[in-house]
Amino acid sequence: MTQTSTELHHLTVAQLTTQLRERKVSALEAARHFLARAKAHTELGAFLDTNEEVTLAQARAADIRLASGSAGPLAGVPLAHKDIFVTKDFIATAGSKMLEGYRSPFDATVVAKLGDAGVVTLGKLNCDEFAMGSANENSAYGPVKNPWDSTRTPGGSSGGSAAAVAARLTPAATGTDTGGSIRQPASFCGITGIKPTYGRASRYGMVAFASSLDQAGPMARTAQDCALLLSAMCGPDPDRDSTSLDVPAEDFSLSLNASLEGLRIGVPIEFFGEGLSPDVRATVDAALKEFEKLGAKLVPITLPRTQLSIPVYYIIAPAEASSNLSRFDGVKFGHRADKYTDLADMYRQTRAEGFGDEVKRRIMIGAYVLSHGYYDAYYLQAQKIRSMIADDFQQAFKVCDVIAGPVAPTVAWKLGGHGNDPLADYLADIFTLPGSLAGLPGMSLPVGFGAGSMPVGLQLIGKYLQESRLLNVAHRFQQATDWHNARPQGF
Ligand code: GLN
């Protein structure tokens, strides 16, 4: 073994797969190294569960396959999952007290697929309760700290995933994105993440928040790593997720190097208005200039219903959540109240104790907008505007190949910075929600630093099923720049 273990955590997934294949490092060595790092950095609050025995057994199995030459493409690569994916060897809490200590009898499809590709699971990562949030402060298991500044949020809801990758506690992680939960934490922590087209990755075994929006995706340091991981995560799953698309799995790393000469990058004017803080704007503008240097052309476009995406999303997502979360009744899964007088009281007490404030707020909003008399006024209207938002993108894509803009209006804010004001969190989702509502693929890549020396991400939104184009655009940028190699002090 020529690789010294102190350097292991600086390797990308791509580098690590080569080292593993060439037997310069063993899967066991890699697993031990990252488990030790997770243990040494519990102050971040990123991991909710680890199981050394399981991880090391997976690593040994990977080493056997690597030695025999029959290993999958990601054999021996350590990876941790957002705790919204159910797993049979680790707990699956979805960041909720409702599922404290819950263990699933099966693995989510995405978990199983990555397992088949050979990854070694390091454990489960903290997230907002049922993926509802933008700061990871809605987790029942405490907030996650941003490795770039421990007084700040890592973003949410995949905050544990973003923090763990940025702090090099894992080379890569899974996340889920309903309204921005892969892109925004990736941006806040200076890493790369992609949410594929809705339906690309199976939702089977992802604890459901808003089923028409939820999508899984990878979070890693580079676009190349995301391509490797996404290739393993996608593919049809018709028997278990009826919304999974009948599109074959794809090797996203094949087109990474295509030239950007003549690429038309749409720049939506609505993403650069008043609400965008000047430091983020300057960083995003500089990234756009870099793309021009790489041969791309900037095309001004308009997404006129951008502002409406906030009320539309915050009607549709809670409506779906209120229905999805009805299964947590103290009978089928997880928590049940100790004291109750009768069945109705058992439901009431269980749900009052098991759910946090934000989840309760959304259940109430959802039940309200779906109720007789309000359904037409809110839910139906929101659905209509949702399809107009999707149409706006189709119009825009007539004149551009990809869309670029900020991920969030500011850099990561201070933990507790939004106080008890959920609206402040909701408003910060403005740039990620439109693409989510349209079901389009979107990603975030690090493009520099803004206020407080905090990372800033650039959002790329692509046409349906053009993840490969997004990854190509991001990869070429990363070939020409160094932002993705920056790392927080002490990690
Ligand atoms: N911040 C958004 C919300 O709170 C998005 C969350 C997500 O994508 N899971 O709903």
Side-chain angles (χ1 to χ4, degrees):
M1 304 279 161
T2 55
Q3 183 70 43
T4 63
S5 66
T6 47
E7 289 169 338
L8 265 180
H9 53 276
H10 297 312
L11 299 179
T12 62
V13 171
Q15 290 164 340
L16 203 50
T17 50
T18 313
Q19 301 256 347
L20 284 157
R21 225 156 264 281
E22 291 172 357
R23 310 305 289 145
K24 289 190 175 139
V25 61
S26 72
L28 192 61
E29 193 184 347
R32 285 210 171 105
H33 180 77
F34 282 101
L35 282 176
R37 280 189 69 76
K39 227 184 238 165
H41 290 289
T42 50
E43 80 281 2
L44 291 174
F47 275 88
L48 291 183
D49 194 28
T50 52
N51 183 334
E52 205 171 298
E53 216 174 296
V54 168
T55 302
L56 298 183
Q58 289 182 7
R60 285 191 189 97
D63 276 327
I64 291 171
R65 282 193 299 271
L66 279 159
S68 71
S70 63
L74 296 169
V77 174
L79 176 138
H81 291 291
K82 181 177 183 177
D83 203 21
I84 201 92
F85 292 94
V86 301
T87 38
K88 54 181 192 315
D89 295 323
F90 298 87
I91 58 155
T93 68
S96 182
K97 188 175 172 216
M98 192 58 106
L99 286 172
E100 192 163 3
Y102 176 72
R103 210 173 269 268
S104 162
F106 63 93
D107 280 333
T109 297
V110 159
V111 172
K113 275 176 165 290
L114 283 166
D116 290 345
V119 307
V120 171
T121 312
L122 292 173
K124 302 299 286 292
L125 296 164
N126 204 344
C127 59
D128 281 305
E129 185 174 7
F130 294 107
M132 298 178 191
S134 310
N136 218 113
E137 289 177 301
N138 297 334
S139 168
Y141 304 98
V144 176
K145 291 176 178 157
N146 191 314
W148 291 92
D149 175 350
S150 62
T151 67
R152 293 181 193 254
T153 170
S157 64
S158 313
S161 305
V165 172
R168 285 141 161 83
L169 310 187
T170 177
T174 53
T176 61
D177 191 309
T178 303
S181 281
I182 287 175
R183 290 161 286 164
Q184 186 254 29
S187 173
F188 282 11
C189 289
I191 64 160
T192 307
I194 182 165
K195 169 204 108 77
T197 306
Y198 178 79
R200 263 282 198 183
S202 171
R203 289 184 297 109
Y204 183 69
M206 256 166 65
V207 179
F209 162 14
S211 306
S212 76
L213 294 151
D214 297 343
Q215 258 306 283
M219 302 173 79
R221 297 219 305 276
T222 66
Q224 184 185 25
D225 285 1
C226 284
L228 291 169
L229 294 158
L230 191 64
S231 304
M233 292 167 74
C234 291
D237 193 15
D239 298 337
R240 291 178 297 187
D241 174 3
S242 60
T243 60
S244 99
L245 293 171
D246 188 15
V247 178
E250 191 176 323
D251 184 347
F252 295 108
S253 47
L254 292 178
S255 42
L256 285 175
N257 288 311
S259 159
L260 303 190
E261 199 61 52
L263 178 84
R264 297 169 305 165
I265 299 183
V267 184
I269 44 169
E270 293 80 2
F271 282 32
F272 291 83
E274 239 178 277
L276 182 63
S277 71
D279 57 313
V280 173
R281 185 181 181 133
T283 313
V284 167
D285 281 344
L288 294 175
K289 285 224 171 66
E290 183 65 39
F291 277 114
E292 283 185 306
K293 276 199 234 154
L294 294 171
K297 275 201 280 291
L298 304 183
V299 184
I301 58 159
T302 171
L303 294 171
R305 293 174 185 84
T306 296
Q307 288 211 353
L308 288 176
S309 65
I310 295 177
V312 166
Y313 174 88
Y314 280 99
I315 288 170
I316 292 174
E320 294 183 16
S322 72
S323 163
N324 274 327
L325 297 187
S326 66
R327 73 190 55 157
F328 299 103
D329 57 4
V331 178
K332 300 185 211 62
F333 301 95
H335 180 72
R336 179 186 294 180
D338 277 342
K339 292 198 189 80
Y340 48 87
T341 52
D342 55 19
L343 182 63
D345 191 46
M346 189 278 282
Y347 292 151
R348 257 195 309 272
Q349 298 300 336
T350 295
R351 289 167 70 84
E353 291 170 11
F355 291 137
D357 287 350
E358 182 59 26
V359 173
K360 286 177 186 159
R361 183 177 297 121
R362 296 200 192 192
I363 291 172
M364 286 189 283
I365 294 171
Y368 180 84
V369 299
L370 288 176
S371 61
H372 183 72
Y374 295 106
Y375 183 90
D376 291 1
Y378 293 104
Y379 186 71
L380 218 57
Q381 281 300 105
Q383 291 290 17
K384 286 182 191 159
I385 300 169
R386 179 179 187 177
S387 68
M388 291 176 180
I389 291 171
D391 286 345
D392 289 345
F393 278 103
Q394 292 316 305
Q395 287 304 318
F397 280 129
K398 285 182 180 158
V399 297
C400 65
D401 306 305
V402 296
I403 292 171
V407 175
T410 64
V411 296
W413 53 86
K414 295 269 182 190
L415 285 163
H418 284 179
N420 278 331
D421 181 9
L423 266 183
D425 277 8
Y426 299 173
L427 291 172
D429 290 339
I430 184 155
F431 303 133
T432 50
L433 297 180
S436 295
L437 289 164
L440 294 164
M443 73 182 295
S444 173
L445 65 150
V447 295
F449 295 87
S453 302
M454 293 304 289
V456 174
L458 177 80
Q459 180 176 208
L460 296 174
I461 303 172
K463 297 179 184 177
Y464 292 116
L465 298 173
Q466 293 202 355
E467 291 79 8
S468 58
R469 174 57 75 90
L470 292 186
L471 291 160
N472 159 227
V473 171
H475 178 67
R476 292 300 293 227
F477 182 89
Q478 293 181 338
Q479 297 291 92
T481 59
D482 216 21
W483 301 113
H484 58 290
N485 289 323
R487 70 183 143 109
Q489 224 179 2
F491 297 100

